Structure formats: structure tokens, C-alpha cells
Amino acid sequence: MNFKKIEDLEKKYYAGVFSRLPVAVDHGKGVYLYDVKGKRYLDFFAGIAVNVLGHCHPKVTKTIAKQAGMLVHTSNWLYTKPQLELAKLLTKITKQDRVFFTNDGTEAVEAAIKLVRSTTGKKEIIAMKNAFHGRTLGSLSLTWDEKFRKPFEPLVPGVKFVEYNNVKKLESAITGNTAAVILEPIQGEAGVIIPDVGYLKKVREMTEREGVLLVLDEVQTGLGRTGKLFAYEHEDVKPDILCLGKALGNGFPIGAALYNGMDFKTVEHGGTFVGNPLACAVSKTVVETVINENLPKKSAKLGLYLLKELKEGLGLRARGRGLMMGIEVKDGKKTVLDLIERSVLTIHTKNTVRILPPLIIEKKHADLFLERIGSLRV
Ligand SMILES: *Cc1c(COP(=O)(O)O)cnc(C)c1O
């Protein structure tokens, strides 16, 4: 099937919600994707920070095949081992008490919203300007951008937005009815907005003092992306609730809300598919591989190199932490399309080109990217 035919099928049969890039992917291997004509692309956004181990990592493929041949689904009426093994692993590495598994990131945020309400009995949640937490009605209520929210109002009431990276404004927005504060350690969808060093720590100290729960949405920053296993480790803080998703299954859908000092009561929450054995077995392999292969450290090291070369070598306006990076350009969309011409895949938010490669990239892949973007006038 050629590209035009694929494009036509999509236009005819598929929901019109996605603004696609002009690439139809056939298969992937490692850090590369191959289109339907066999052209190879360097994948520098990894399915939006998802494919931390690249495409079709042999360990992940093996686990999928093995578990698929054993047990895929049972519902949560029954116990399954992969679910509990992953629960044990994730609570250990996050130092949280318990986990509720979900199918994706937005559901992890939904679980967090319900948990803060049932735990505190309060209705008010403070979120950040420019935040992105998902598209279902609860998490959408915490998402800042009007273009996502406006057509669907009224949303969940009791949400206040305050300026990101400003502890004073956050503190003065807290009232006796505030249940929780939710934020991303680095705002991803907004275009890689990095707060000042110390911000997260101050937010943690202040929310603790005020008796307000702190929910960290690490759906995008988690699992080594920023150069630590979790972004909160940069400031040595511990959230009350931690939302994970994206990289957790390396592309196999799974998310999680981890928490301490509280719990759901029986039947307060649930889901037919959540914590299914296939997703959990895959996720366990992914998390173990990320840790065993030292990918957070590699992300930190290559991230520093890439950022330095982008800024000092190419004179670009770039910012980032680990392998989560944004480059300011004149025209974001055009730069992404120009990079596609040069066989490199990135995404953009307005005029920020976002760089989120698999964490398994090596220096030669970073150099290839630098050479390709260096050949453009951005
Ligand atoms: C992507 C994202 C979500 C939503 O995750 P989905 O799996 O798309 O529902 C939530 N929060 C953050 C920070 C994200 O980047």
C-alpha cells in the first residue's frame, strides 16, 4: 500500500482528531523506524517518550511472546502473579506503599483525582498553567490549554490554575478546601518547560507544611527520561501520589498511580483490563531492563553532550534535562518536516522542537542527529 492510499483511508474512515506527520510506519528496530517504502528514519521522539528501549527490544518481544502464550487476561476477580510482581518492583523503586495499575497516563491521573478526594474529603485541586495531564474529563480538567478544554465544559469543578515555577503564588492559592497540588516535574507537552532548581523541593516542603497532598505527574518524565529514574530524584523529594505511564510498557499500554499513607476502599475504583498479566509482565521486563542497563545514567550523560553541542556547537537555543529536550526554532512545524526530509523524526509544540529519543541511543546517533539538524537553517 502506498502512502497516498494510506492517507486516503485515514481521511475516510478514521476519527479526525490527529494531525499526522507524513510518514507511514511499517516496522521498527532499535532507534530506527522504517516506512512502507523501506526508508529508514532515526526516531528522536520515541512515540512521545514511550519507547525508552527503542523498537522491538529483544527482551520485550520475548516477554510479550512468552506471556501471550501463557495468560493474557483474567479480570481483577482473580489473582495473577505478573500483576503482583510488578506491584512489588514499582513500589520498591519508588518507595511508595501501594500501586493501582491503569491502561495509560490519563487513567493514572484519574485514579489520583479520585484518591485525593476520597482521602481528604476535599474538592479543590490546584494545577499549573501550561500543564498537560490527559484528555479524559477528570484529567482534562487539570489540563491548562483552552483548546483541549473549552468544547467540553462544564468539567470537574474545583480546579485552580496557578503559575508554574512560582511557590509563592502556589502557596497563596491554597485554602482550607484544597485537597492536592498536581504538577509535572518538567512540563512536557507545553514544550519542555523546566522549573528552577529547588522549585520542586520548595513545593514539597510547603505542601507538607500546609497539609496538602502532592501529586507528581511523571507520565512523561519517569523511567530515566530526565537522567534519573524519576525526575523527583533530582531534588530528593517524595510525592504522596506518583502517576506513571508512557515509558512504563515501552509501547505496551500500561500506567500506574503509586501512593503512600492512604488507600482506596473496596470498589472505590477498578477497571476490567487494569493490571492485566500481559501488560504487567511486559512492564516488569521494561523497568528491569532500564535499571539493569543503567539507562538513567546514560540518558544524563548523552543528554549533557547533546545539549552542549546543540548550544555551543550549533548555536541553537536549546534546553533540557537528560534526553528530554526542547529546541527553540523560527517555525516548529517546518523544522519537523525538514528533519523528516533528512530522515529524522521529532515532534513540536508551537516553535519548540521536542527531542525524546529512546534511552538506548549511542553517541553516534546523537552525532547523526546533530549533523542533520545542523544542516538546516532553523
Ligand atoms: C502523555 C501525558 C499524559 C496522558 O497520558 P496518555 O497515556 O496519553 O493518556 C498525562 N500526563 C503527562 C505529563 C503526559 O505527558
Side-chain angles (χ1 to χ4, degrees):
M1 215 188 286
N2 64 27
F3 181 72
K4 178 81 176 60
K5 184 108 191 269
I6 288 169
E7 218 180 12
D8 288 346
L9 280 174
E10 201 247 18
K11 282 208 182 95
K12 184 153 183 222
Y13 296 113
Y14 207 74
V17 292
F18 296 110
S19 100
R20 310 253 194 203
L21 295 171
V23 179
V25 180
D26 184 71
H27 65 281
K29 191 164 196 291
V31 302
Y32 294 105
L33 285 174
Y34 297 79
D35 75 7
V36 288
K37 279 200 255 155
K39 182 178 167 185
R40 186 179 86 166
Y41 297 86
L42 181 67
D43 183 3
F44 252 47
F45 77 93
I48 324 182
V50 167
N51 300 97
V52 279
L53 302 178
H55 299 280
C56 302
H57 190 286
K59 285 187 179 146
V60 178
T61 305
K62 198 173 151 200
T63 300
I64 292 174
K66 187 170 167 231
Q67 186 62 42
M70 229 168 105
L71 185 70
V72 172
H73 174 82
T74 62
S75 91
N76 285 293
W77 281 102
L78 306 172
Y79 297 94
T80 61
K81 224 165 62 178
Q83 186 181 81
L84 300 176
E85 283 173 354
L86 181 64
K88 189 174 169 200
L89 174 63
L90 285 186
T91 50
K92 180 168 160 243
I93 62 174
T94 59
K95 302 186 179 68
Q96 297 286 331
D97 291 346
R98 286 170 194 284
V99 64
F100 177 81
F101 290 124
T102 64
N103 299 302
D104 60 11
T106 197
E107 285 182 18
V109 175
E110 296 291 335
I113 295 171
K114 286 178 76 172
L115 190 55
V116 299
R117 278 193 171 184
S118 66
T119 299
T120 64
K122 297 174 179 177
K123 305 287 178 229
E124 201 176 273
I125 299 178
I126 302 177
M128 300 297 143
K129 291 184 179 174
N130 294 308
F132 183 87
H133 296 293
R135 297 166 187 276
T136 48
L137 290 174
S139 66
L140 183 64
S141 310
L142 306 173
T143 289
W144 163 252
D145 200 328
E146 290 244 311
K147 74 170 184 280
F148 297 137
R149 278 205 337 261
K150 211 57 187 177
F152 311 106
E153 289 174 347
L155 295 172
V156 172
V159 178
K160 273 200 259 187
F161 290 99
V162 305
E163 194 181 311
Y164 190 55
N165 196 24
N166 187 329
V167 189
K168 279 220 174 71
K169 288 224 167 111
L170 174 59
E171 184 164 8
S172 59
I174 288 176
T175 71
N177 297 318
T178 307
V181 169
I182 182 166
L183 59 88
E184 302 154 87
I186 293 174
Q187 292 184 323
E189 294 307 297
V192 194
I193 300 178
I194 307 172
D196 297 337
V197 173
Y199 170 68
L200 206 52
K201 189 146 196 117
K202 283 186 206 144
V203 170
R204 175 68 285 189
E205 285 165 3
M206 187 273 290
T207 47
E208 215 152 66
R209 203 166 57 235
E210 297 285 333
V212 170
L213 296 174
L214 176 61
V215 183
L216 288 185
D217 181 347
E218 291 231 28
V219 169
Q220 188 156 160
T221 51
L223 240 44
R225 175 58 51 195
T226 70
K228 298 269 189 194
L229 192 53
F230 300 103
Y232 64 72
E233 292 172 23
H234 288 290
E235 305 210 349
D236 198 22
V237 304
K238 182 176 169 182
D240 300 299
I241 304 180
L242 174 66
C243 297
L244 300 178
K246 290 200 163 86
L248 203 54
N250 202 53
F252 201 97
I254 184 168
L258 291 122
Y259 49 90
N260 68 90
M262 63 192 115
D263 197 7
F264 285 113
K265 290 186 200 62
T266 312
V267 309
E268 271 187 351
H269 202 34
T272 301
F273 296 118
V274 297
N276 84 77
L278 183 51
C280 288
V282 174
S283 177
K284 180 161 171 277
T285 296
V286 173
V287 173
E288 284 172 348
T289 308
V290 165
I291 293 170
N292 293 342
E293 294 187 3
N294 256 326
L295 294 186
K297 250 211 185 99
K298 285 189 183 153
S299 162
K301 196 170 154 217
L302 262 182
L304 275 180
Y305 170 72
L306 201 52
L307 192 61
K308 181 161 181 277
E309 290 300 313
L310 284 168
K311 283 160 70 169
E312 291 166 26
L314 298 175
L316 296 174
R317 282 185 300 157
R319 58 181 175 271
R321 197 169 263 185
L323 288 171
M324 182 171 187
M325 236 166 265
I327 307 170
E328 286 302 322
V329 298
K330 277 206 241 18
D331 185 335
K333 179 88 194 266
K334 182 172 183 304
T335 303
V336 165
L337 292 174
D338 287 347
L339 282 168
I340 286 175
E341 290 284 303
R342 286 160 178 76
S343 306
V344 175
L345 300 174
T346 57
I347 48 175
H348 69 102
T349 297
K350 297 193 180 106
N351 289 327
T352 300
V353 173
R354 291 162 59 200
I355 309 301
L356 303 154
L359 305 185
I360 57 161
I361 60 162
E362 294 163 28
K363 183 171 173 291
K364 67 178 181 199
H365 303 118
D367 287 335
L368 185 60
F369 174 74
L370 289 164
E371 179 208 306
R372 298 285 159 89
I373 195 163
S375 73
L376 293 178
R377 290 187 53 206
V378 299

